[in-house]
Each structure stands twice: as C-alpha cells, then as structure tokens.
Amino acid sequence: MTLHHIEVRALSEQHDVQAHRLAREILQLSPHRLPSLATITATPLQVRTASLYSLYGTLEPAQLDSLLTQLLVDAVIQEATIGEQSHAGQHVIDVFFHAGVTDTLAESVLTGARMLNISTLEHAETGRRYFLDGRLSTQDARVIAESLLYNPVIQHYTFTGQRDHAPTSSNADTSARPQVKQSLLTMNDEHLLAFSKAGLLALNLDEMRVIQQHYKEQGREPTDVELETLAQTWSEHCSHKTFKATVEYREFDVHNTLVTQETISGLLKRYIMRATEEVRQEWLVSAFSDNAGIVRFTETHDIAFKVETHNHPSAIEPFGGANTGVGGVIRDVLGVSAQPIACTDILCFGPLDTPAETLPVGVLAPRRIATGVVDGVRDYGNKMGIPTVNGAILYHAGYVYNPLVFCGCLGILPHGSHPNKIEAGDSVVALGGRTGRDGVHGATFSSGEMSREINAQAGAAVQIGAPITEKKVADVIVQARDRQLYHAITDCGAGGFSSAVGEMGAETGVRVELADAPLKYQGLAPWEIWLSEAQERMVLAVPSANLDALREICAIEEVEMSIIGTFTDDHRLTVTYHNETVANIDMAFLHDGRPNRTLEAVWRPASAPYQQENTASRFIVPPTPATILLNLLQHPSIASKEAVIRRYDHEVQGATVLKPLVGKTGQGPGDAAVLHPLLEDSPQSRAGIVLSNGVNPLYGTIDPYHMAVNAVDEALRNLTAVGGDITRVSILDNFCWGNPTDPLQLGMLVRAVKGCYDAAVGFKTPFISGKDSLNNEYRANGRRLPVIPTLVISAVGIIDDVAQTVDMSLKTPDNLLYLVGTTRNELAGSHYVEVTRETPFETSVPHVDIEHAYTIMLALGEAIQRGLVHACHDLSEGGLAVAIAEMAIASRLGVALDLSHIPVQDAPPAHRNVLRLFSESASRFVVEIAPEQWGAFEKHMRFRSVTDVTYIGTVTNTGRFGVHDGDEQVLDLKIADLQQAFGGVRA
C-alpha cells in the first residue's frame, strides 16, 4: 500500500481566508508572549495555510489526477503539490487528528473516491498546514501553534518536521474505564466515592451505596457495562436529579431576617410543569414527554421546538462542542418525527480581550473559544441546509471559565404523525453514523465541574460531527415517518445506546447485541460501544414486516442501517457482546432506583456572588449622554453581531420572512425571526411561526427571580414587536448554573424557577420543553469558579398572516415615534452601569408588572396586525437611547426626540434624563406611526386599556440623532457616528 502526501493551497494570498484570520489572531496575542513579533516592521506578517491529505492505497497516476481535479482541488483558486515539499525560510506546522478521532473530511474523500469508481483508495487522513513568517523566532512559532493552531484534546502537531504531542492509539484510551480493584460489594464509603471519581461516573455516595446494596441483594458484582449504564441514567444531565430533588429552602430579607421557609418537593414538578398544567392551551400537543415540545401550527401540521446546551464540550473543544450541540438538538427534533426547518443559537463568552496568560493552564482563551464555537455552529447548520434565524451573543467575565452554548431547532410534522408505542418483538434499529470512542462519558462529564485534570481525563467526551451524514439520516426519517414504518424513535445523544435504547425500552424491556453495532474502528470495549456518543445516530423501534421497506429507503439515501436488538416484554435491559451477557438490569431499578436527593437552598439578597461593582467610572471626565450612548453601542453584548450572523445561512429552505438583520442597511438587529413554511397540502396558507428569546444574566446578579421574569418578558416582547400573537405562544427554559450542592447557588436557582412559574402563569404561556445544565464550574488552584447564573427563555408563536409583520427599522421621514410602556427608576443590573461603573442614586433591577405587560403586548400585537404600526422595536439593553439608535442605524434615517414628554416613576429630578434614556424598564416598545394613523393607534391602545402611550418625536431625513428636553439639547450625534460605534460590515 502506497502513501501519497498532497498539499492543497490557495493560488494567491488574497484567496487564503484562513491565513488572513490567523494573522489577525496572532497580532491579538499579547506582545510579551511574542517578543520577536516587534521586530517585524518592514512588511506585514507573512502567514499562509494549506489543506493536507494523506492517501493510502494503490493509485494509478490517472486515478490520482482524477482525485485532484474532480475532488480535492478547485482549479480556479487552488493548486496542489504531491509529495513532501521544501519550505525554506518558514516555520511549517502540520496539525492532524489523534488516531480514533472522527475525521469527517477524510470520510468524504473516501466517499468521493468511490463515486469516481476508485476502489483502491483504502484509507485517508486530513490535516492543516500552517506556514508562519520565518522572521518569527522558533519559540514564538511554538507559542502560536499551542495558542491558536491545535487542541491537544483531539489533535497533535508536527513542528519543523519533528512530531510534538504524539497521537494516542485508537485502541489505547481506556484510562477512564472503571476497573474494580476490589469487590464493589465490600468497598467502604471512601472507596466507593474514589471509584466513582476515578471512573468519571459522577455518582454521589448515596447513589453508590444504593448500587452496592442492590448488587448485594443480587448476590453478584456489577459488570462495567451495568455500572456505566446506571451512571449515565442517573446523571444530572439525563435524570435532572437537582430539579427532582427535595429542596429545603430558606429565604432572608435585606436585614437577614428569615421570611420564608419551605420544603419543595421537586422544582420541575412544583413550578415548571405545574405552570404548564395551569395554563394548558387547546393547541398544546406534547410537553415534557418527548425529545421536543410539540404544538399545533395549522389544522394539518404541528411544530416541534427544542433548545439544548453543550457547554462542557465547547469549553474543551469549541468547534466540536458547538458543532455537535447543533447536531444533537436537530436530532431531538428528528426524534419527534419532525423535519428540521430552522436553528437558533445563544452564545455566551468571556471578554475577547482576556489575555491567555492570565488563565489557568487548560483554560482556552475566550477569543479562541468564540472563534471555534461560531465555526462549529456555522458548519453544522449550513451543511445540513437548515437556516440559523435567531439568537444572541453575550460577553461577561462570568463566562471566561465556563462558556455557554445554547442550540435550538424548530421542526414541522403532519399532525398526529409521531408514533410512540413500542411493541414486543419490534427490532432495535440503529441508523446513521458508526460508533467510535468519541463522546464516551459525555453525559457524566457534563454533570460535574471542570478542571484541568478532569478535562484531560474526559478527552474522549469530545464529539466530532458529520452534518452530511445527519442530513441523509433526516431524509430517511421523514420518508419512514410518512410511510409509518416505525413504532417509536429517539436520538442517540447523551449516553449513546445506553440512554436511547434504555429509555425506549423502559416500559417493555429490550435485548441488545453490541457486536451488531457497526464500529468506526476495532478495539472498543463493550461498555465503550454502549456509552459512545458518536454522532448522527438514531434508534427506531421497527416491526419486522417493515424492515425491508426501511432498508430500501436507507439504501437510496446511503444511510447505514443495523439491527442491534429486539424489544421484549420482560422489563429488563439485557446487553450481550458476542452472545456473552455484559449487562442484565431490572428496568424499574435502572429508571426508578436512584435515591432522591435532599438539598439545602438559601437566598439572601446580598449573597449573589456576581454583584456589579460600583467601581470608579471608566471615563476620564464626567460622561455625557452622548459618550454614554456611544460606549453602550460599542459594548460587546450590544454591538453589531453582523460579522457572525453573515457566516450563517438564514435564507436556505426559502421560508425566512423576517431575518436576523433587517432594514435598508441590512444591519438592524431584528427582534425575532418569522418563518412561513410551505405546506404541500395547504399551499395557500399564510400562517407563520415566530421565534424569539430572552436572556439577561446581569439582573440575576441582583435577584434571579426578576432575571427570570424579565427573560420571559423579553422573549414575549421580542415576539410582539414583529406582530406575534401573545395568545398563541409557548416557551422553553434553559438554566445554566453552578454547583447545586452549594446552598447559595441553589437558592438563586430556586428564586429563578419561582420567577419562571409566576411569569408563565401570568402571561398564560405554557412551558413545552426545557433543559438544565448544572455544575458549570471550573476548579483551579483550589478555587471554585462558577458561571454567572444564566437563564435563556425561548419563545415560539403562531401568527395567522405573515404579511402582517413589521421589523425594527425606521421607514419614512415625518412619521411619529411613540414610547409604549412605563419608564421607572430601574438601572440596577443595567448596561448603563456596565459602561459607567457607577449609579449616582438609589435604583432597582427592572420589575415586571405581568398583568399590565400582557395587556400591552396583546394590544400592540393587534395594532401591528391591523397595519397601524410601521416599525416596532422592544427596549432592552441600553434602554430607549440604544433602541432608537439601532432603529436609525438600520434605516440611515434621523430622529428628533423630546424627552420632556416621558414621565418617569420614582426618578430623582437631577437624573430624570438618565433614566429616560438608559433605564431598562421592561415591557416597553418604540413604535413608528404614520401621521394619518396616530388617532386610530391611540384609540386602539386606549380601547385595550393601555394608557402609557407617549409621543416622543419624529423620524427625520437629517441624518442626525437629536434629543432635547424641551428647549434644552441633551445630545446631538450623526447617525454615521452611531454606525461607527455600533460596528458591523459596511455596505
């Protein structure tokens, strides 16, 4: 077998996009880390990149030429060389995957070769080559390699011909396998805990004791497959044991006086699920009982929605973590028989200018995490042909050690087409990707804190995605659904076969033969096959009579199908490997045997560990409203996200009516996405779907209760701002928190969950799904570094007519501007404080008057549907000033505002205009009204009992942002100045 080395690079530096980005990232490294960089002054830094292909097989020259010209090289912009080349005067660094890590590009090369009728290509590996400026010192080139070019969790590199960080063998990584050094049945408490920790089981002492006692009663030792199955099933990630735990909750006031003491028998059941039951709507199809929530869309179709998190994997391998986070939530939607039609993502990073050298060893710099995560999100959605239509990006120091990646997916399915009734005798069918070691221990790894040691031990928990494979799987699922070929379906996510098959067979029983599962490579132990979270796999319960029809579809779509077992009626999980039993567990013990936890929770108003510091102002001279506004527009969480959004395809499938960026300039941040799916049996339907989200962690630093209520309010007002109908909205909750065994952390979580309940009931909006991701903490040098508590609320709504929607960009000079809603003295937790670092007066976090907020949103949504509103934008980060500035940026039109019309509740007179401009009071909107419609608009709002509607100014064609308080000028800026501060890609 011959090895062929091929290097493919851009014909010119102009077309080497990755090189341009790498050069920017190198220049962003701290100067003292790259001392030789200071000597490079005469010409720009020279950086180039190339793709590497190592092809193994007997290839004739004509076959090799065919591979190059038809598969590997774009002749218009690329060139290729075969064999090792001399690259004098440069530092050459090659980066490859470790053996056993999924190489999706290599798999595509093999597939492409087969399509070209080249059968002698036996194996392929791919990598990246980097050419660094020879003027850099060898040490600086090494710093660049280890800072920017490779991730030791999944990759190794060679440097100037010498291999550093050699790859691990695909068969050697068994360090995480729990080895029973002594009988589990005779272990004492200390040994039980040590065993759990060493094996990454993430089981506490009570759980280990229950397992020990169970097997004592069985009269035998547990197998490793059984232990791993119990650990996965009982993990925080899969069983949500904190949200099901009994919580002893105590609440104190600001004077440290006990005001509330209660026992809560499960946060999920007591608050989240109870809210849904109390406001259950007739259009609710399924909630909390499947992979995704389902609601009615039209008479013929339903929609499914799910939002997941993929935080720990993204922290240690950003591209793979985010990539497979998107892939996983798409499979959740496939798992309810729905066709994916849109994705959302909310990303939370540390400040991008955080110096890498200030971080503990093992913690990636925020800029590197952000780059990898965005690439991962883009790669999966774009390749699957699913538009990414909505989301947010937040930056805060509380995310430096614990980045958060929220991935959502929306799907559509014919009403009543999702089956969920397994019968004994149904085959256990696995579809899609093959099983490898990638993803092993993902569920338990995600259920604990992170540290350098744990991250190294859990390297196999990193997953690698193959979106093209998943696209093929999705096509199979939709066809099989329409032909009613399966009785049940689920995705193979956290815990792999263990979770998917174990949960599907919980009410019946199941028998699995692991040797029948196709593998990426040999050498996997049975427990690794069972626990692997290798991607792009679905599990179906298929009647024997339908197997041939399913095989036929899979053959056409080029999807691998395997029968790995049978559903039984014995209520046991039986797993064999080459007919040897490796697990035999009673389903009742597996799913109901976990001991319920009792946890202590305490809330004290001053106990939140992330209070905003009222340190000295960042301004050298006292700030003016103009400088504050410009600084707010530059704040990373507010500034334009266009550079990221433009990398996502939000047009594919042709259903996106309102896009992430709107307005004449295409740079206005849209409030929500609106989709108009084309229904084959209802082609004339004008019904649409609205997607929005709400997230404001800064409020949680003061009071998580108000953070939760504000997050629901924000998600609903974003939906309302585009014309959504608040009476047809469902919501999802995603909690990302620290260690729940810390009473203060859990106390904050209880406050947030109570806020979710009050908001859902008050807004008459059911939860249909959700997810909690706890233990988002990093431990370094003996310190716990928890994430800033973060709650994302996602909303999905139905509108009857997509034509009656509006966006946030201003439309016509001389149109009138109105403020809808009440402005209060509410600057605590605001971005004003983030920018100025001062609050010169007593203020509070925004409070939501839920009943009045519902009235406002109902009335405003109706006004938009009646055509009375030309533009609408909700007020959120930065308040009124930022909202109108964004509207002006989107349209390049000016505004003339008069603040004297705006009443402010509880405002210190000297600071009234600060509050008018920058208060983040909830439930507020700016609307643009044509002069001839102002009477009808005001009459409609009054009829709907909304009286806090205030005329505040007009749209102009002056190109200026002018604000007065009566005769006093408050600020006067060019729209171009606002645009420059806000950023974004210029037209």
Side-chain angles (χ1 to χ4, degrees), residues 283-324:
W283 37 261
L284 181 60
V285 176
S286 172
F288 302 108
S289 61
D290 221 319
N291 292 43
I294 305 176
V295 297
R296 292 299 296 267
F297 174 40
T298 65
E299 292 184 359
T300 60
H301 282 77
D302 298 338
I303 55 174
F305 193 32
K306 180 65 177 290
V307 179
E308 275 278 7
T309 56
H310 225 220
N311 305 330
H312 284 29
S314 299
I316 65 174
E317 209 304 282
F319 178 90
N323 195 244
T324 53

Side-chain angles (χ1 to χ4, degrees), residues 63-322:
Q63 292 176 315
L64 193 57
D65 182 69
S66 180
L67 286 172
L68 290 175
T69 58
Q70 298 187 55
L71 188 64
L72 303 182
V73 180
D74 182 344
V76 176
I77 59 172
Q78 292 178 318
E79 61 183 350
T81 54
I82 301 175
E84 294 295 344
Q85 306 295 313
S86 174
H87 300 288
Q90 296 173 305
H91 301 286
V92 182
I93 299 169
D94 294 344
V95 178
F96 285 93
F97 287 117
H98 293 325
V101 174
T102 300
D103 186 343
T104 56
L105 182 56
E107 293 175 359
S108 296
V109 170
L110 293 173
T111 300
R114 289 193 294 270
M115 295 174 67
L116 294 172
N117 296 317
I118 299 174
S119 59
T120 53
L121 178 60
E122 300 177 20
H123 179 66
E125 296 176 5
T126 67
R128 293 294 302 175
R129 173 165 286 174
Y130 300 92
F131 307 93
L132 302 184
D133 200 313
R135 293 171 292 176
L136 292 165
S137 69
T138 300
Q139 179 58 33
D140 283 0
R142 189 178 299 276
V143 168
I144 292 169
E146 299 189 358
S147 299
L148 301 175
L149 304 186
Y150 96 118
N151 186 335
V153 173
I154 61 168
Q155 295 168 314
H156 59 278
Y157 71 87
T158 61
F159 181 77
T160 60
Q162 299 298 317
R163 172 164 287 177
D164 295 358
H165 299 77
T168 58
S169 166
S170 63
N171 299 332
D173 184 17
T174 57
S175 60
R177 182 185 302 176
Q179 301 290 338
V180 181
K181 302 299 183 182
Q182 68 181 80
S183 167
L184 187 80
L185 305 189
T186 61
M187 286 185 182
N188 60 26
D189 289 352
E190 180 182 355
H191 290 154
L192 286 173
L193 274 178
F195 181 76
S196 174
K197 182 177 181 181
L200 278 183
L201 300 180
L203 294 169
N204 63 30
L205 181 57
D206 286 342
E207 292 159 349
M208 290 298 293
R209 285 171 174 168
V210 167
I211 293 172
Q212 183 184 58
Q213 180 60 35
H214 176 78
Y215 281 95
K216 282 182 178 180
E217 295 170 0
Q218 298 285 307
R220 67 178 179 89
E221 295 285 347
T223 68
D224 55 359
V225 176
E226 290 171 334
L227 281 173
E228 294 285 357
T229 302
L230 288 164
Q232 168 270 308
T233 306
W234 293 5
S235 68
E236 183 74 75
H237 184 90
C238 293
S239 71
H240 313 290
K241 51 193 175 186
T242 295
F243 268 72
K244 295 177 180 177
T246 299
V247 178
E248 300 293 343
Y249 177 65
R250 291 177 295 146
E251 186 172 308
F252 296 82
D253 63 15
V254 292
H255 306 294
N256 206 31
T257 301
L258 180 66
V259 295
T260 299
Q261 185 168 358
E262 61 180 320
T263 299
I264 302 170
S265 56
L267 294 172
L268 178 61
K269 187 175 182 179
R270 170 79 173 272
Y271 294 107
I272 305 298
M273 297 179 72
R274 181 160 68 102
T276 296
E277 288 302 314
E278 291 184 12
V279 299
R280 179 172 287 274
Q281 306 281 359
E282 51 87 18
W283 37 261
L284 181 60
V285 176
S286 172
F288 302 108
S289 61
D290 221 319
N291 292 43
I294 305 176
V295 297
R296 292 299 296 267
F297 174 40
T298 65
E299 292 184 359
T300 60
H301 282 77
D302 298 338
I303 55 174
F305 193 32
K306 180 65 177 290
V307 179
E308 275 278 7
T309 56
H310 225 220
N311 305 330
H312 284 29
S314 299
I316 65 174
E317 209 304 282
F319 178 90

Side-chain angles (χ1 to χ4, degrees), residues 732-743:
L732 289 76
D733 61 280
N734 285 85
F735 292 89
C736 287
W737 235 255
N739 188 342
T741 63
D742 178 343

Side-chain angles (χ1 to χ4, degrees), residues 310-356:
H310 225 220
N311 305 330
H312 284 29
S314 299
I316 65 174
E317 209 304 282
F319 178 90
N323 195 244
T324 53
V326 175
V329 78
I330 292 171
R331 290 196 305 278
D332 279 329
V333 166
L334 289 172
V336 293
S337 305
Q339 179 178 353
I341 61 171
C343 286
T344 70
D345 61 89
I346 296 91
L347 312 176
C348 305
F349 306 125
L352 295 186
D353 58 357
T354 303

Side-chain angles (χ1 to χ4, degrees), residues 619-691:
F619 296 97
I620 298 175
V621 298
T624 65
T627 57
I628 293 171
L629 175 57
L630 293 174
N631 277 271
L632 281 168
L633 291 171
Q634 293 173 12
H635 189 286
S637 293
I638 295 176
S640 173
K641 308 302 186 297
E642 185 175 3
V644 172
I645 293 170
R646 293 296 184 199
R647 300 171 69 182
Y648 303 152
D649 189 337
H650 47 263
E651 303 279 4
V652 66
Q653 297 193 26
T656 315
V657 176
L658 281 186
K659 303 171 178 60
L661 296 171
V662 299
K664 178 181 178 180
T665 67
Q667 295 174 297
D671 290 291
V674 177
L675 299 163
H676 181 211
L678 300 179
L679 307 178
E680 291 183 4
D681 53 354
S682 304
Q684 304 305 315
S685 172
R686 302 181 71 172
I689 304 168
V690 187
L691 290 178

Side-chain angles (χ1 to χ4, degrees), residues 479-560:
Q479 294 176 66
R481 175 204 69 196
D482 291 344
R483 293 175 60 179
Q484 300 180 347
L485 297 182
Y486 56 85
H487 283 163
I489 182 172
T490 193
D491 78 302
C492 214
F497 289 137
S498 173
S499 174
V501 178
E503 290 179 8
M504 288 181 77
E507 302 300 323
T508 58
V510 66
R511 184 178 185 88
V512 175
E513 171 52 65
L514 293 177
D516 292 335
L519 304 182
K520 297 178 181 180
Y521 40 79
Q522 297 305 305
L524 272 68
W527 73 269
E528 292 174 312
I529 300 172
W530 186 235
L531 265 292
S532 169
E533 295 180 14
Q535 296 293 289
E536 290 77 48
R537 298 178 301 163
M538 302 292 294
V539 177
L540 291 75
V542 182
S544 299
N546 295 345
L547 289 172
D548 288 343
L550 183 60
R551 283 195 188 94
E552 181 182 350
I553 296 173
C554 289
I556 294 172
E557 299 296 344
E558 299 179 333
V559 169
E560 192 164 13

